[in-house]
Amino acid sequence: MIGQLYERTKALPVGLAEQGTLLAALPDLRGRSVLDVGTGTGFYPRIYKRLGATRVVGVDASTEMITYARRVEEREPLGLRFEVHDGGVLPRLGEFDVVTSVWLLGYAEGQPALDQMVTNLVANLAAGGTLVALTPNPDLDWDGLADYPRYGLHANRTGPSLGRQGYAVHIDGDPPFDFTGFLWPPGVIEAALTRAGLVCLRRHPVTVPEPALAEHGADYWAALVANPTFAVFTATRP
């Protein structure tokens, strides 16, 4: 059930903008290897493989999510591998040209845990490789979230926790569902990536996929583009 709910969020308008921004930030994946940490149902690994990646591994701390991802792979085989690993204690699984992390870093319980999580990601990154991290937007305008029901969700702040801001999200639909998460203040993610020795750090602008932009029009997307719930960072291992 949780796998189906997770997959449904990717089809929401906010999920489409998330996808467009993450995929626009990726380097060319043709002939390259990718490790996706916090893979959930394997949604992004399936896209990476279709974009030409030759070796794709997805890992997640949730056995239920990995089970779902493996079932999809069995039904529609792409040559993907999925393993159960927690990003906080992620072992070195090999050298990958690209390591992606989607909605993972906010769950590090304090700055030392964040540094360890980033170190674990970098340990799996080949020299010259690219780390791509999608995180909650550290500059989020909470008042601006009043516009977000049009994009399929409601969100509000909860309490602080270990240097992070807590939040709760309600997703509309049948059935509706709720989840919680945490975001780091401005500058914290960038500093952690820099401490891990990464260079060429960049935050990417929001990219709405062309079909979604054409379907709804630029005015519809304006509030999301100005105040996204997510941020995408890339950096390189020297």
Short mmCIF file of all heavy atoms in Angstrom, two decimals, residues 186-224:
data_model
loop_
_atom_site.label_atom_id
_atom_site.label_comp_id
_atom_site.label_asym_id
_atom_site.label_seq_id
_atom_site.Cartn_x
_atom_site.Cartn_y
_atom_site.Cartn_z
N PRO A 186 18.77 27.43 5.71
CA PRO A 186 19.61 27.81 4.57
C PRO A 186 21.10 27.66 4.88
O PRO A 186 21.57 28.02 5.96
CB PRO A 186 19.24 29.29 4.35
CG PRO A 186 17.84 29.39 4.87
CD PRO A 186 17.78 28.47 6.05
N GLY A 187 21.82 27.14 3.91
CA GLY A 187 23.27 27.02 4.00
C GLY A 187 23.79 25.74 4.61
O GLY A 187 24.97 25.39 4.43
N VAL A 188 22.94 25.00 5.33
CA VAL A 188 23.41 23.80 6.03
C VAL A 188 23.79 22.69 5.04
O VAL A 188 24.84 22.05 5.18
CB VAL A 188 22.35 23.30 7.03
CG1 VAL A 188 22.75 21.95 7.61
CG2 VAL A 188 22.16 24.31 8.14
N ILE A 189 22.96 22.44 4.04
CA ILE A 189 23.25 21.39 3.07
C ILE A 189 24.52 21.74 2.30
O ILE A 189 25.42 20.89 2.12
CB ILE A 189 22.08 21.20 2.10
CG1 ILE A 189 20.83 20.71 2.84
CG2 ILE A 189 22.46 20.24 0.97
CD1 ILE A 189 20.95 19.33 3.45
N GLU A 190 24.63 22.97 1.84
CA GLU A 190 25.81 23.38 1.07
C GLU A 190 27.09 23.21 1.90
O GLU A 190 28.11 22.74 1.39
CB GLU A 190 25.68 24.84 0.62
CG GLU A 190 24.53 25.10 -0.34
CD GLU A 190 23.27 25.58 0.35
OE1 GLU A 190 22.97 25.08 1.47
OE2 GLU A 190 22.60 26.47 -0.20
N ALA A 191 27.01 23.58 3.17
CA ALA A 191 28.19 23.45 4.04
C ALA A 191 28.57 21.99 4.23
O ALA A 191 29.76 21.64 4.23
CB ALA A 191 27.91 24.11 5.39
N ALA A 192 27.59 21.11 4.37
CA ALA A 192 27.88 19.68 4.54
C ALA A 192 28.52 19.10 3.28
O ALA A 192 29.46 18.30 3.37
CB ALA A 192 26.60 18.93 4.88
N LEU A 193 28.03 19.50 2.12
CA LEU A 193 28.63 19.02 0.87
C LEU A 193 30.07 19.51 0.73
O LEU A 193 30.95 18.76 0.28
CB LEU A 193 27.79 19.48 -0.32
CG LEU A 193 26.34 18.97 -0.37
CD1 LEU A 193 25.62 19.55 -1.57
CD2 LEU A 193 26.28 17.45 -0.41
N THR A 194 30.31 20.75 1.13
CA THR A 194 31.66 21.31 1.06
C THR A 194 32.60 20.60 2.04
O THR A 194 33.75 20.29 1.70
CB THR A 194 31.62 22.82 1.34
OG1 THR A 194 30.79 23.46 0.35
CG2 THR A 194 33.02 23.42 1.28
N ARG A 195 32.12 20.36 3.26
CA ARG A 195 32.96 19.65 4.24
C ARG A 195 33.34 18.25 3.76
O ARG A 195 34.39 17.72 4.13
CB ARG A 195 32.24 19.56 5.59
CG ARG A 195 32.23 20.84 6.39
CD ARG A 195 31.79 20.61 7.83
NE ARG A 195 30.43 20.12 7.94
CZ ARG A 195 29.35 20.90 8.00
NH1 ARG A 195 29.49 22.22 7.95
NH2 ARG A 195 28.14 20.37 8.12
N ALA A 196 32.48 17.65 2.94
CA ALA A 196 32.76 16.31 2.43
C ALA A 196 33.76 16.33 1.27
O ALA A 196 34.09 15.27 0.73
CB ALA A 196 31.47 15.65 1.97
N GLY A 197 34.24 17.52 0.91
CA GLY A 197 35.27 17.63 -0.12
C GLY A 197 34.74 17.80 -1.53
O GLY A 197 35.52 17.75 -2.50
N LEU A 198 33.43 18.02 -1.68
CA LEU A 198 32.85 18.19 -3.00
C LEU A 198 33.09 19.61 -3.51
O LEU A 198 33.21 20.56 -2.73
CB LEU A 198 31.36 17.88 -2.97
CG LEU A 198 31.00 16.44 -2.59
CD1 LEU A 198 29.50 16.30 -2.43
CD2 LEU A 198 31.53 15.44 -3.62
N VAL A 199 33.15 19.74 -4.83
CA VAL A 199 33.39 21.04 -5.46
C VAL A 199 32.31 21.29 -6.52
O VAL A 199 31.46 20.44 -6.76
CB VAL A 199 34.80 21.10 -6.10
CG1 VAL A 199 35.88 20.94 -5.02
CG2 VAL A 199 34.96 20.02 -7.17
N CYS A 200 32.37 22.47 -7.13
CA CYS A 200 31.43 22.86 -8.19
C CYS A 200 29.98 22.74 -7.71
O CYS A 200 29.09 22.25 -8.43
CB CYS A 200 31.63 22.01 -9.45
SG CYS A 200 33.29 22.13 -10.15
N LEU A 201 29.74 23.17 -6.50
CA LEU A 201 28.41 23.11 -5.90
C LEU A 201 27.47 24.07 -6.62
O LEU A 201 27.79 25.23 -6.86
CB LEU A 201 28.50 23.46 -4.42
CG LEU A 201 27.21 23.50 -3.61
CD1 LEU A 201 26.53 22.14 -3.61
CD2 LEU A 201 27.51 23.95 -2.18
N ARG A 202 26.27 23.56 -6.94
CA ARG A 202 25.28 24.37 -7.65
C ARG A 202 23.88 24.02 -7.19
O ARG A 202 23.58 22.85 -6.97
CB ARG A 202 25.39 24.14 -9.16
CG ARG A 202 24.38 24.94 -9.99
CD ARG A 202 24.42 24.55 -11.45
NE ARG A 202 23.37 25.21 -12.20
CZ ARG A 202 22.99 24.87 -13.43
NH1 ARG A 202 23.60 23.88 -14.05
NH2 ARG A 202 22.01 25.53 -14.03
N ARG A 203 23.05 25.03 -7.02
CA ARG A 203 21.61 24.82 -6.79
C ARG A 203 20.88 25.12 -8.08
O ARG A 203 21.08 26.16 -8.70
CB ARG A 203 21.11 25.71 -5.66
CG ARG A 203 19.62 25.52 -5.37
CD ARG A 203 19.21 26.24 -4.11
NE ARG A 203 17.77 26.20 -3.93
CZ ARG A 203 17.14 26.70 -2.89
NH1 ARG A 203 17.82 27.29 -1.91
NH2 ARG A 203 15.82 26.63 -2.78
N HIS A 204 20.00 24.22 -8.48
CA HIS A 204 19.38 24.31 -9.80
C HIS A 204 18.00 24.95 -9.75
O HIS A 204 17.26 24.77 -8.78
CB HIS A 204 19.26 22.91 -10.41
CG HIS A 204 20.59 22.31 -10.74
ND1 HIS A 204 21.09 22.23 -12.02
CD2 HIS A 204 21.55 21.78 -9.93
CE1 HIS A 204 22.28 21.67 -12.00
NE2 HIS A 204 22.59 21.38 -10.75
N PRO A 205 17.65 25.70 -10.79
CA PRO A 205 16.32 26.32 -10.83
C PRO A 205 15.25 25.27 -11.07
O PRO A 205 15.50 24.17 -11.57
CB PRO A 205 16.42 27.27 -12.04
CG PRO A 205 17.45 26.64 -12.92
CD PRO A 205 18.45 26.02 -11.99
N VAL A 206 14.03 25.62 -10.70
CA VAL A 206 12.89 24.73 -10.93
C VAL A 206 12.65 24.59 -12.43
O VAL A 206 12.65 25.57 -13.17
CB VAL A 206 11.62 25.27 -10.25
CG1 VAL A 206 10.41 24.40 -10.58
CG2 VAL A 206 11.82 25.35 -8.75
N THR A 207 12.46 23.35 -12.86
CA THR A 207 12.16 23.07 -14.26
C THR A 207 10.85 22.29 -14.33
O THR A 207 10.77 21.16 -13.85
CB THR A 207 13.28 22.24 -14.92
OG1 THR A 207 14.51 22.96 -14.85
CG2 THR A 207 12.95 21.93 -16.37
N VAL A 208 9.83 22.90 -14.90
CA VAL A 208 8.55 22.22 -15.11
C VAL A 208 8.62 21.52 -16.46
O VAL A 208 8.97 22.15 -17.47
CB VAL A 208 7.38 23.21 -15.07
CG1 VAL A 208 6.05 22.49 -15.34
CG2 VAL A 208 7.33 23.94 -13.74
N PRO A 209 8.32 20.23 -16.54
CA PRO A 209 8.37 19.54 -17.83
C PRO A 209 7.47 20.22 -18.87
O PRO A 209 6.39 20.71 -18.54
CB PRO A 209 7.85 18.13 -17.50
CG PRO A 209 8.11 17.97 -16.03
CD PRO A 209 7.94 19.33 -15.43
N GLU A 210 7.93 20.23 -20.10
CA GLU A 210 7.21 20.94 -21.16
C GLU A 210 5.75 20.48 -21.30
O GLU A 210 4.86 21.32 -21.45
CB GLU A 210 7.95 20.79 -22.49
CG GLU A 210 9.19 21.65 -22.61
CD GLU A 210 8.90 23.14 -22.56
OE1 GLU A 210 7.79 23.54 -22.97
OE2 GLU A 210 9.76 23.88 -22.09
N PRO A 211 5.45 19.17 -21.25
CA PRO A 211 4.03 18.78 -21.39
C PRO A 211 3.16 19.36 -20.27
O PRO A 211 2.02 19.77 -20.52
CB PRO A 211 4.09 17.25 -21.32
CG PRO A 211 5.47 16.90 -21.77
CD PRO A 211 6.34 18.00 -21.24
N ALA A 212 3.70 19.37 -19.04
CA ALA A 212 2.93 19.91 -17.91
C ALA A 212 2.77 21.42 -18.04
O ALA A 212 1.71 21.98 -17.71
CB ALA A 212 3.62 19.56 -16.60
N LEU A 213 3.81 22.09 -18.53
CA LEU A 213 3.74 23.53 -18.73
C LEU A 213 2.71 23.87 -19.80
O LEU A 213 1.91 24.80 -19.66
CB LEU A 213 5.12 24.06 -19.12
CG LEU A 213 5.31 25.57 -19.17
CD1 LEU A 213 5.07 26.19 -17.81
CD2 LEU A 213 6.71 25.91 -19.67
N ALA A 214 2.70 23.10 -20.87
CA ALA A 214 1.75 23.35 -21.95
C ALA A 214 0.33 23.06 -21.52
O ALA A 214 -0.61 23.77 -21.91
CB ALA A 214 2.13 22.49 -23.16
N GLU A 215 0.15 22.02 -20.70
CA GLU A 215 -1.21 21.63 -20.29
C GLU A 215 -1.86 22.68 -19.40
O GLU A 215 -3.05 23.00 -19.56
CB GLU A 215 -1.16 20.29 -19.56
CG GLU A 215 -2.53 19.83 -19.07
CD GLU A 215 -2.48 18.49 -18.35
OE1 GLU A 215 -1.38 17.90 -18.26
OE2 GLU A 215 -3.55 18.06 -17.88
N HIS A 216 -1.10 23.22 -18.43
CA HIS A 216 -1.69 24.12 -17.45
C HIS A 216 -1.39 25.60 -17.68
O HIS A 216 -2.11 26.45 -17.17
CB HIS A 216 -1.21 23.73 -16.05
CG HIS A 216 -1.65 22.38 -15.60
ND1 HIS A 216 -2.96 22.10 -15.27
CD2 HIS A 216 -0.97 21.23 -15.44
CE1 HIS A 216 -3.06 20.83 -14.90
NE2 HIS A 216 -1.87 20.27 -15.00
N GLY A 217 -0.32 25.91 -18.40
CA GLY A 217 0.06 27.29 -18.62
C GLY A 217 0.99 27.82 -17.55
O GLY A 217 0.99 27.34 -16.41
N ALA A 218 1.78 28.82 -17.90
CA ALA A 218 2.81 29.35 -17.00
C ALA A 218 2.21 29.96 -15.73
O ALA A 218 2.79 29.86 -14.65
CB ALA A 218 3.65 30.38 -17.74
N ASP A 219 1.04 30.60 -15.84
CA ASP A 219 0.44 31.24 -14.67
C ASP A 219 0.12 30.22 -13.58
O ASP A 219 0.27 30.48 -12.39
CB ASP A 219 -0.83 31.99 -15.06
CG ASP A 219 -0.53 33.26 -15.85
OD1 ASP A 219 0.65 33.68 -15.87
OD2 ASP A 219 -1.46 33.80 -16.46
N TYR A 220 -0.33 29.05 -13.99
CA TYR A 220 -0.66 27.99 -13.03
C TYR A 220 0.56 27.60 -12.21
O TYR A 220 0.47 27.35 -11.00
CB TYR A 220 -1.20 26.78 -13.79
CG TYR A 220 -1.40 25.54 -12.95
CD1 TYR A 220 -2.56 25.34 -12.23
CD2 TYR A 220 -0.40 24.55 -12.88
CE1 TYR A 220 -2.75 24.20 -11.46
CE2 TYR A 220 -0.57 23.41 -12.11
CZ TYR A 220 -1.75 23.24 -11.40
OH TYR A 220 -1.92 22.12 -10.64
N TRP A 221 1.72 27.53 -12.85
CA TRP A 221 2.93 27.06 -12.21
C TRP A 221 3.70 28.14 -11.47
O TRP A 221 4.68 27.84 -10.76
CB TRP A 221 3.87 26.43 -13.24
CG TRP A 221 3.33 25.17 -13.85
CD1 TRP A 221 2.74 25.03 -15.07
CD2 TRP A 221 3.30 23.88 -13.24
NE1 TRP A 221 2.36 23.72 -15.27
CE2 TRP A 221 2.69 22.99 -14.16
CE3 TRP A 221 3.74 23.38 -12.02
CZ2 TRP A 221 2.51 21.64 -13.89
CZ3 TRP A 221 3.56 22.03 -11.75
CH2 TRP A 221 2.96 21.18 -12.68
N ALA A 222 3.29 29.40 -11.60
CA ALA A 222 4.10 30.51 -11.10
C ALA A 222 4.38 30.43 -9.60
O ALA A 222 5.51 30.66 -9.15
CB ALA A 222 3.43 31.84 -11.44
N ALA A 223 3.37 30.09 -8.79
CA ALA A 223 3.56 30.04 -7.35
C ALA A 223 4.53 28.93 -6.96
O ALA A 223 5.36 29.10 -6.06
CB ALA A 223 2.22 29.83 -6.64
N LEU A 224 4.47 27.80 -7.65
CA LEU A 224 5.39 26.69 -7.35
C LEU A 224 6.81 27.04 -7.75
O LEU A 224 7.76 26.76 -7.01
CB LEU A 224 4.91 25.43 -8.06
CG LEU A 224 5.65 24.13 -7.70
CD1 LEU A 224 4.72 22.94 -7.92
CD2 LEU A 224 6.92 23.94 -8.52
#
